[in-house]
Amino acid sequence: MNNKFHSFLHQQILLMLGLSLIPGLGYIFLGWLHDVITPALIWYGLVLSSSIWGFRLYKSFLNDTMTRNELEQWYQHLRWFFYTIFSLWTLIFVLYSGETTSKLHYIAIFTQLGASVVASTLLYSDKKLYIPIILILMVPLTIYFAGIQEWYGYILCLFAYIFMGVLLYSATSSNKLLVKTYYQATHDQLTDLYNRNQFIDDLQITINRLKSSGGFSYLLLIDLDHFKIINDSLGHDIGDELLIEVSNRMKKHITKEHTLARLGGDEFIIIGPEYADKTECQQVAQVFSEKLLKKIKASYVIPPHHLYISASIGLNVLNDKDIKVNTFVKEADIAMYEAKSAGRDGVIIFNDDFSKHIEQQLEVERLLHFALEKNEIELKFQPQQDQSSAIIGCEVLVRWNNKKLGTVSPVEFIPIAEQSGVIINLGQYILEESFKILFEWEKKGIILKQFSINISMRQIFHHSFVDDVKKICNKYINHSLCSKIVFELTETIVAQDIKKLITIMNELKELGIKFSMDDFGTGYSSLSYITQLPIDELKIDRSFVSNLHANEQNKAMVSSILNLANTFNLSIVAEGVETSDQMEFLVKNNCNILQGYYFSKPISSDEFEVLYLQKHPS
Ligand code: C2E
Ligand code: CA
Ligand code: CA
């Protein structure tokens, strides 16, 4: 049962008061005409006092701030009010039909019929009201007809039964329709949880209540981790079943005081109960959400699969702050994204620093849009050398020099460029500039074996990527230069859509382009990828190289990667080489290409030319 039901009934109170008090006066007049004035006055007195009761109920209804319990209590009172006021009509019926004047009988009968129609039309939203009330009104009438003990009396009795049946039937069918449409408008079809609309209404009520009480509550925004992968790889049916299972577990975890809704997709939201103290509220919420997370994470059996899923939860404490409902949700959303970027599978509480961080990001995003036209993008080149210290290649690394922000690291702006879509133009620019440089270097006698360029996810999956690469290959370089190009991919790309990726890679390979798996060893399924993807090179992640001498495990890790590369006939680059010890170890273990500050930082193309020509005087 819900507020809208209650407010519908609430509106019927005044109508009912009018329908009782005004015709009631007529009954006093009749009573006076036919000498039953005293009982009529007593009766009207009862109607009057019930009406006062009804009016107070009408007044005490505060749709926007009542808690569920308060609403429930109010509804109980309302029910008794309606029972009483309709019973009073039966009372006057009994009174007048006992009189000898037949005129009074006609009027009493009509009133009873009228009241039944009123009950079945005004109260059809609630079975607990209209069924007993129609019975209270109609059963005495049927008894009255039967009591005439004449043939026409029995016929009237039968008619009265039919009439009662019709009223009950029509009220019930309207009721069913109402309940169904109402349910559909407020619930999510798949999980039977409340939907977004209903949730927003409930949240608005909670916030209004907090404003008047000064208390606290909380909001949990729950987003399943990597749900898309399950949906895409196992199909939507399995995805749907998983969502149902997850929501069932959540239903079991919450209490009557919580509101649980599905916002759409794999996003759920919970409104907590009210607390007087903020710290208590936050602590309870944290414990509650951690337990919830644990329940969500227990494995699922959806034949024939055993599935495992975690979730990222954003927690926001609600208070009496004068802000919009959507702002509270947005803040929980921000916290949820923080949880995602902190590695998922966790709970993060919103704080104002997050919004500042987001504002900064938006500023970066805004400025990044103009970076290309303002010529703020610069390319650096980090040499790669072989075991004999000859420079055999380089990796192109992008730099952004902005007046306001200074030099921004690609670690910071590449993800923003990805999110905002700027990466498409930016990536295209990097490719074109790189190809131009490669061509110029060849002319100047700087002959490299390979030339590596980082490619990001959105860029490679962009529909025109392959065509764009073909075009700029034709425009700036020839086939022999093309076969020097290496595209570096990371595992996040591979995790997207491996089949599509393989197709794209194969098309590019026709141009002669090679592929390198960047940051190798950091992802969790690197091994399975190298057997599936047409790659040519592995890049051992910097973290393994820089910690080579920290423990034996890292050494073992690096030598296993080197062996692996050997087995699969892949060339291998160690990046982030900073010391001679690291270099020695790598050389001893047959790592063929080395890159790192020990040899050179990323440098400008001019500097690169100088360095190369120094090392390789023609
Ligand atoms: P990455 O592809 O793993 O690049 C290697 C990073 O390690 C570079 O940082 C490089 O400057 C740094 N590095 C190289 N040798 C050493 C060393 O000996 N010690 C230390 N401490 N660091 C070393 P950078 O240039 O800041 O790039 C960071 C990341 O940004 C790159 O990681 C890559 O993922 C991304 N990135 C850079 N340029 C591009 C680009 O043109 N396109 C795309 N999509 N991503 C790029
Ligand atoms: Ca790289
Ligand atoms: Ca790397």
Side-chain angles (χ1 to χ4, degrees), residues 322-356:
D322 207 13
I323 58 176
K324 288 196 188 120
V325 179
N326 281 331
T327 313
F328 279 119
V329 182
K330 211 169 98 195
E331 289 177 351
D333 203 44
I334 291 171
M336 190 274 286
Y337 274 104
E338 286 291 326
K340 291 253 180 218
S341 49
R344 299 166 204 264
D345 184 14
V347 184
I348 299 265
I349 305 176
F350 174 82
N351 72 49
D352 288 332
D353 290 346
F354 291 170
S355 333
K356 275 183 213 138

mmCIF file of all heavy atoms in Angstrom, residues 322-356:
data_model
loop_
_atom_site.group_PDB
_atom_site.id
_atom_site.type_symbol
_atom_site.label_atom_id
_atom_site.label_comp_id
_atom_site.label_asym_id
_atom_site.label_seq_id
_atom_site.Cartn_x
_atom_site.Cartn_y
_atom_site.Cartn_z
ATOM 1 N N ASP A 322 18.916 21.941 2.185
ATOM 2 C CA ASP A 322 17.888 22.356 1.252
ATOM 3 C C ASP A 322 18.335 22.093 -0.181
ATOM 4 O O ASP A 322 18.537 23.014 -0.956
ATOM 5 C CB ASP A 322 17.592 23.842 1.471
ATOM 6 C CG ASP A 322 16.177 24.160 1.044
ATOM 7 O OD1 ASP A 322 15.402 23.209 0.839
ATOM 8 O OD2 ASP A 322 15.863 25.345 0.903
ATOM 9 N N ILE A 323 18.530 20.827 -0.523
ATOM 10 C CA ILE A 323 18.926 20.553 -1.904
ATOM 11 C C ILE A 323 17.946 19.605 -2.560
ATOM 12 O O ILE A 323 17.168 18.935 -1.896
ATOM 13 C CB ILE A 323 20.372 20.013 -2.026
ATOM 14 C CG1 ILE A 323 20.546 18.730 -1.222
ATOM 15 C CG2 ILE A 323 21.378 21.051 -1.622
ATOM 16 C CD1 ILE A 323 21.922 18.110 -1.403
ATOM 17 N N LYS A 324 18.029 19.575 -3.864
ATOM 18 C CA LYS A 324 17.056 18.803 -4.625
ATOM 19 C C LYS A 324 17.281 17.299 -4.488
ATOM 20 O O LYS A 324 18.401 16.853 -4.257
ATOM 21 C CB LYS A 324 17.152 19.169 -6.099
ATOM 22 C CG LYS A 324 16.607 20.525 -6.407
ATOM 23 C CD LYS A 324 16.378 20.636 -7.911
ATOM 24 C CE LYS A 324 16.006 22.055 -8.276
ATOM 25 N NZ LYS A 324 16.936 22.663 -9.212
ATOM 26 N N VAL A 325 16.208 16.560 -4.662
ATOM 27 C CA VAL A 325 16.273 15.104 -4.603
ATOM 28 C C VAL A 325 17.372 14.579 -5.518
ATOM 29 O O VAL A 325 18.199 13.748 -5.126
ATOM 30 C CB VAL A 325 14.932 14.506 -5.075
ATOM 31 C CG1 VAL A 325 14.974 13.006 -5.052
ATOM 32 C CG2 VAL A 325 13.816 15.002 -4.216
ATOM 33 N N ASN A 326 17.399 15.102 -6.734
ATOM 34 C CA ASN A 326 18.356 14.585 -7.707
ATOM 35 C C ASN A 326 19.797 14.830 -7.306
ATOM 36 O O ASN A 326 20.683 14.072 -7.683
ATOM 37 C CB ASN A 326 18.091 15.206 -9.075
ATOM 38 C CG ASN A 326 16.926 14.517 -9.740
ATOM 39 O OD1 ASN A 326 16.688 13.332 -9.492
ATOM 40 N ND2 ASN A 326 16.181 15.244 -10.543
ATOM 41 N N THR A 327 20.012 15.884 -6.546
ATOM 42 C CA THR A 327 21.378 16.163 -6.111
ATOM 43 C C THR A 327 21.862 15.082 -5.158
ATOM 44 O O THR A 327 23.004 14.622 -5.251
ATOM 45 C CB THR A 327 21.434 17.539 -5.427
ATOM 46 O OG1 THR A 327 20.737 18.457 -6.250
ATOM 47 C CG2 THR A 327 22.855 17.995 -5.232
ATOM 48 N N PHE A 328 20.981 14.657 -4.251
ATOM 49 C CA PHE A 328 21.360 13.566 -3.344
ATOM 50 C C PHE A 328 21.727 12.315 -4.143
ATOM 51 O O PHE A 328 22.683 11.624 -3.828
ATOM 52 C CB PHE A 328 20.213 13.243 -2.384
ATOM 53 C CG PHE A 328 20.131 14.167 -1.210
ATOM 54 C CD1 PHE A 328 19.003 14.944 -0.990
ATOM 55 C CD2 PHE A 328 21.178 14.255 -0.307
ATOM 56 C CE1 PHE A 328 18.919 15.787 0.102
ATOM 57 C CE2 PHE A 328 21.100 15.099 0.799
ATOM 58 C CZ PHE A 328 19.970 15.865 0.996
ATOM 59 N N VAL A 329 20.935 12.040 -5.166
ATOM 60 C CA VAL A 329 21.195 10.845 -5.978
ATOM 61 C C VAL A 329 22.512 11.014 -6.744
ATOM 62 O O VAL A 329 23.324 10.092 -6.818
ATOM 63 C CB VAL A 329 20.042 10.587 -6.972
ATOM 64 C CG1 VAL A 329 20.299 9.321 -7.772
ATOM 65 C CG2 VAL A 329 18.731 10.472 -6.226
ATOM 66 N N LYS A 330 22.709 12.217 -7.266
ATOM 67 C CA LYS A 330 23.930 12.466 -8.031
ATOM 68 C C LYS A 330 25.164 12.280 -7.150
ATOM 69 O O LYS A 330 26.162 11.694 -7.575
ATOM 70 C CB LYS A 330 23.895 13.890 -8.604
ATOM 71 C CG LYS A 330 24.631 13.992 -9.917
ATOM 72 C CD LYS A 330 24.371 15.319 -10.586
ATOM 73 C CE LYS A 330 25.511 16.276 -10.302
ATOM 74 N NZ LYS A 330 25.178 17.663 -10.614
ATOM 75 N N GLU A 331 25.057 12.742 -5.917
ATOM 76 C CA GLU A 331 26.196 12.602 -5.005
ATOM 77 C C GLU A 331 26.484 11.129 -4.705
ATOM 78 O O GLU A 331 27.638 10.713 -4.656
ATOM 79 C CB GLU A 331 25.927 13.375 -3.709
ATOM 80 C CG GLU A 331 25.974 14.875 -3.920
ATOM 81 C CD GLU A 331 25.642 15.678 -2.667
ATOM 82 O OE1 GLU A 331 25.205 15.067 -1.652
ATOM 83 O OE2 GLU A 331 25.790 16.893 -2.706
ATOM 84 N N ALA A 332 25.409 10.368 -4.518
ATOM 85 C CA ALA A 332 25.604 8.927 -4.290
ATOM 86 C C ALA A 332 26.255 8.305 -5.527
ATOM 87 O O ALA A 332 27.104 7.409 -5.423
ATOM 88 C CB ALA A 332 24.275 8.253 -4.004
ATOM 89 N N ASP A 333 25.870 8.816 -6.681
ATOM 90 C CA ASP A 333 26.405 8.334 -7.945
ATOM 91 C C ASP A 333 27.907 8.620 -8.033
ATOM 92 O O ASP A 333 28.693 7.762 -8.434
ATOM 93 C CB ASP A 333 25.667 9.061 -9.067
ATOM 94 C CG ASP A 333 25.703 8.294 -10.363
ATOM 95 O OD1 ASP A 333 25.491 7.075 -10.304
ATOM 96 O OD2 ASP A 333 25.966 8.902 -11.409
ATOM 97 N N ILE A 334 28.267 9.821 -7.628
ATOM 98 C CA ILE A 334 29.685 10.202 -7.642
ATOM 99 C C ILE A 334 30.475 9.260 -6.724
ATOM 100 O O ILE A 334 31.522 8.744 -7.099
ATOM 101 C CB ILE A 334 29.843 11.671 -7.185
ATOM 102 C CG1 ILE A 334 29.256 12.606 -8.240
ATOM 103 C CG2 ILE A 334 31.307 12.000 -6.928
ATOM 104 C CD1 ILE A 334 29.159 14.055 -7.811
ATOM 105 N N ALA A 335 29.927 9.008 -5.533
ATOM 106 C CA ALA A 335 30.605 8.108 -4.593
ATOM 107 C C ALA A 335 30.722 6.709 -5.192
ATOM 108 O O ALA A 335 31.753 6.038 -5.052
ATOM 109 C CB ALA A 335 29.842 8.060 -3.279
ATOM 110 N N MET A 336 29.667 6.286 -5.906
ATOM 111 C CA MET A 336 29.686 4.959 -6.526
ATOM 112 C C MET A 336 30.807 4.885 -7.571
ATOM 113 O O MET A 336 31.544 3.905 -7.632
ATOM 114 C CB MET A 336 28.312 4.680 -7.141
ATOM 115 C CG MET A 336 28.078 3.287 -7.605
ATOM 116 S SD MET A 336 28.660 3.048 -9.256
ATOM 117 C CE MET A 336 27.407 3.921 -10.178
ATOM 118 N N TYR A 337 30.949 5.951 -8.354
ATOM 119 C CA TYR A 337 32.026 5.951 -9.353
ATOM 120 C C TYR A 337 33.403 5.965 -8.705
ATOM 121 O O TYR A 337 34.340 5.360 -9.210
ATOM 122 C CB TYR A 337 31.859 7.112 -10.346
ATOM 123 C CG TYR A 337 30.948 6.693 -11.468
ATOM 124 C CD1 TYR A 337 29.641 7.117 -11.537
ATOM 125 C CD2 TYR A 337 31.405 5.796 -12.437
ATOM 126 C CE1 TYR A 337 28.797 6.684 -12.539
ATOM 127 C CE2 TYR A 337 30.571 5.355 -13.444
ATOM 128 C CZ TYR A 337 29.269 5.807 -13.494
ATOM 129 O OH TYR A 337 28.448 5.360 -14.477
ATOM 130 N N GLU A 338 33.493 6.638 -7.555
ATOM 131 C CA GLU A 338 34.760 6.597 -6.808
ATOM 132 C C GLU A 338 35.054 5.157 -6.403
ATOM 133 O O GLU A 338 36.179 4.696 -6.477
ATOM 134 C CB GLU A 338 34.684 7.480 -5.560
ATOM 135 C CG GLU A 338 34.738 8.958 -5.851
ATOM 136 C CD GLU A 338 36.107 9.430 -6.359
ATOM 137 O OE1 GLU A 338 37.126 8.880 -5.931
ATOM 138 O OE2 GLU A 338 36.122 10.343 -7.209
ATOM 139 N N ALA A 339 33.994 4.453 -5.958
ATOM 140 C CA ALA A 339 34.172 3.052 -5.572
ATOM 141 C C ALA A 339 34.645 2.235 -6.772
ATOM 142 O O ALA A 339 35.495 1.354 -6.649
ATOM 143 C CB ALA A 339 32.881 2.474 -5.013
ATOM 144 N N LYS A 340 34.102 2.554 -7.953
ATOM 145 C CA LYS A 340 34.517 1.831 -9.166
ATOM 146 C C LYS A 340 35.990 2.100 -9.451
ATOM 147 O O LYS A 340 36.751 1.183 -9.733
ATOM 148 C CB LYS A 340 33.697 2.289 -10.377
ATOM 149 C CG LYS A 340 32.252 1.872 -10.312
ATOM 150 C CD LYS A 340 31.929 0.761 -11.287
ATOM 151 C CE LYS A 340 30.468 0.395 -11.165
ATOM 152 N NZ LYS A 340 30.169 -1.002 -11.279
ATOM 153 N N SER A 341 36.360 3.391 -9.370
ATOM 154 C CA SER A 341 37.741 3.666 -9.752
ATOM 155 C C SER A 341 38.718 3.235 -8.673
ATOM 156 O O SER A 341 39.913 3.091 -8.933
ATOM 157 C CB SER A 341 37.938 5.122 -10.164
ATOM 158 O OG SER A 341 37.394 5.971 -9.212
ATOM 159 N N ALA A 342 38.205 3.017 -7.458
ATOM 160 C CA ALA A 342 39.096 2.496 -6.417
ATOM 161 C C ALA A 342 39.206 0.979 -6.518
ATOM 162 O O ALA A 342 39.590 0.312 -5.560
ATOM 163 C CB ALA A 342 38.586 2.900 -5.049
ATOM 164 N N GLY A 343 38.830 0.418 -7.646
ATOM 165 C CA GLY A 343 39.022 -1.010 -7.848
ATOM 166 C C GLY A 343 37.752 -1.824 -7.716
ATOM 167 O O GLY A 343 37.792 -3.043 -7.652
ATOM 168 N N ARG A 344 36.611 -1.184 -7.635
ATOM 169 C CA ARG A 344 35.298 -1.845 -7.520
ATOM 170 C C ARG A 344 35.192 -2.687 -6.247
ATOM 171 O O ARG A 344 36.103 -2.687 -5.445
ATOM 172 C CB ARG A 344 35.018 -2.734 -8.738
ATOM 173 C CG ARG A 344 35.003 -1.919 -10.001
ATOM 174 C CD ARG A 344 35.065 -2.779 -11.259
ATOM 175 N NE ARG A 344 35.603 -1.963 -12.335
ATOM 176 C CZ ARG A 344 34.863 -1.322 -13.232
ATOM 177 N NH1 ARG A 344 33.571 -1.407 -13.215
ATOM 178 N NH2 ARG A 344 35.422 -0.570 -14.146
ATOM 179 N N ASP A 345 34.062 -3.391 -6.117
ATOM 180 C CA ASP A 345 33.853 -4.273 -4.978
ATOM 181 C C ASP A 345 34.095 -3.545 -3.658
ATOM 182 O O ASP A 345 34.894 -3.978 -2.838
ATOM 183 C CB ASP A 345 34.793 -5.484 -5.122
ATOM 184 C CG ASP A 345 34.556 -6.504 -4.015
ATOM 185 O OD1 ASP A 345 33.529 -6.416 -3.327
ATOM 186 O OD2 ASP A 345 35.430 -7.378 -3.843
ATOM 187 N N GLY A 346 33.413 -2.431 -3.443
ATOM 188 C CA GLY A 346 33.614 -1.709 -2.193
ATOM 189 C C GLY A 346 32.551 -0.647 -1.980
ATOM 190 O O GLY A 346 31.700 -0.421 -2.826
ATOM 191 N N VAL A 347 32.634 -0.041 -0.787
ATOM 192 C CA VAL A 347 31.672 0.998 -0.427
ATOM 193 C C VAL A 347 32.431 2.301 -0.230
ATOM 194 O O VAL A 347 33.448 2.326 0.453
ATOM 195 C CB VAL A 347 30.976 0.653 0.911
ATOM 196 C CG1 VAL A 347 29.910 1.687 1.237
ATOM 197 C CG2 VAL A 347 30.379 -0.739 0.867
ATOM 198 N N ILE A 348 31.959 3.370 -0.829
ATOM 199 C CA ILE A 348 32.600 4.677 -0.632
ATOM 200 C C ILE A 348 31.544 5.680 -0.199
ATOM 201 O O ILE A 348 30.453 5.730 -0.761
ATOM 202 C CB ILE A 348 33.297 5.172 -1.926
ATOM 203 C CG1 ILE A 348 34.412 4.212 -2.370
ATOM 204 C CG2 ILE A 348 33.800 6.596 -1.761
ATOM 205 C CD1 ILE A 348 35.800 4.542 -1.913
ATOM 206 N N ILE A 349 31.891 6.458 0.845
ATOM 207 C CA ILE A 349 30.959 7.469 1.347
ATOM 208 C C ILE A 349 31.231 8.787 0.639
ATOM 209 O O ILE A 349 32.385 9.200 0.508
ATOM 210 C CB ILE A 349 31.136 7.657 2.864
ATOM 211 C CG1 ILE A 349 30.976 6.304 3.568
ATOM 212 C CG2 ILE A 349 30.143 8.673 3.402
ATOM 213 C CD1 ILE A 349 31.213 6.353 5.040
ATOM 214 N N PHE A 350 30.168 9.419 0.200
ATOM 215 C CA PHE A 350 30.334 10.684 -0.516
ATOM 216 C C PHE A 350 30.889 11.762 0.408
ATOM 217 O O PHE A 350 30.491 11.866 1.556
ATOM 218 C CB PHE A 350 28.985 11.156 -1.071
ATOM 219 C CG PHE A 350 29.079 12.514 -1.698
ATOM 220 C CD1 PHE A 350 29.539 12.643 -2.994
ATOM 221 C CD2 PHE A 350 28.759 13.655 -0.977
ATOM 222 C CE1 PHE A 350 29.663 13.890 -3.574
ATOM 223 C CE2 PHE A 350 28.878 14.911 -1.555
ATOM 224 C CZ PHE A 350 29.334 15.023 -2.854
ATOM 225 N N ASN A 351 31.836 12.545 -0.099
ATOM 226 C CA ASN A 351 32.172 13.789 0.609
ATOM 227 C C ASN A 351 32.406 14.897 -0.397
ATOM 228 O O ASN A 351 32.553 14.647 -1.590
ATOM 229 C CB ASN A 351 33.356 13.592 1.573
ATOM 230 C CG ASN A 351 34.654 13.420 0.848
ATOM 231 O OD1 ASN A 351 34.983 14.207 -0.037
ATOM 232 N ND2 ASN A 351 35.402 12.389 1.202
ATOM 233 N N ASP A 352 32.440 16.130 0.093
ATOM 234 C CA ASP A 352 32.452 17.277 -0.819
ATOM 235 C C ASP A 352 33.686 17.336 -1.709
ATOM 236 O O ASP A 352 33.644 17.912 -2.793
ATOM 237 C CB ASP A 352 32.297 18.573 -0.036
ATOM 238 C CG ASP A 352 30.872 18.705 0.489
ATOM 239 O OD1 ASP A 352 29.967 18.141 -0.156
ATOM 240 O OD2 ASP A 352 30.673 19.332 1.531
ATOM 241 N N ASP A 353 34.792 16.724 -1.236
ATOM 242 C CA ASP A 353 35.999 16.728 -2.072
ATOM 243 C C ASP A 353 35.739 16.058 -3.415
ATOM 244 O O ASP A 353 36.336 16.419 -4.422
ATOM 245 C CB ASP A 353 37.140 15.983 -1.368
ATOM 246 C CG ASP A 353 37.635 16.766 -0.174
ATOM 247 O OD1 ASP A 353 37.273 17.959 -0.089
ATOM 248 O OD2 ASP A 353 38.371 16.200 0.654
ATOM 249 N N PHE A 354 34.847 15.073 -3.400
ATOM 250 C CA PHE A 354 34.549 14.370 -4.648
ATOM 251 C C PHE A 354 33.994 15.341 -5.682
ATOM 252 O O PHE A 354 34.367 15.292 -6.846
ATOM 253 C CB PHE A 354 33.516 13.259 -4.428
ATOM 254 C CG PHE A 354 34.024 12.105 -3.622
ATOM 255 C CD1 PHE A 354 33.146 11.140 -3.169
ATOM 256 C CD2 PHE A 354 35.373 11.969 -3.338
ATOM 257 C CE1 PHE A 354 33.600 10.060 -2.429
ATOM 258 C CE2 PHE A 354 35.836 10.903 -2.599
ATOM 259 C CZ PHE A 354 34.946 9.952 -2.146
ATOM 260 N N SER A 355 33.088 16.213 -5.220
ATOM 261 C CA SER A 355 32.505 17.150 -6.191
ATOM 262 C C SER A 355 33.580 18.076 -6.734
ATOM 263 O O SER A 355 33.583 18.401 -7.916
ATOM 264 C CB SER A 355 31.407 18.003 -5.590
ATOM 265 O OG SER A 355 30.791 17.384 -4.547
ATOM 266 N N LYS A 356 34.498 18.491 -5.826
ATOM 267 C CA LYS A 356 35.585 19.363 -6.295
ATOM 268 C C LYS A 356 36.397 18.637 -7.353
ATOM 269 O O LYS A 356 36.749 19.200 -8.397
ATOM 270 C CB LYS A 356 36.477 19.766 -5.116
ATOM 271 C CG LYS A 356 35.932 20.964 -4.388
ATOM 272 C CD LYS A 356 36.857 21.393 -3.262
ATOM 273 C CE LYS A 356 36.026 21.952 -2.118
ATOM 274 N NZ LYS A 356 36.507 21.507 -0.808
#
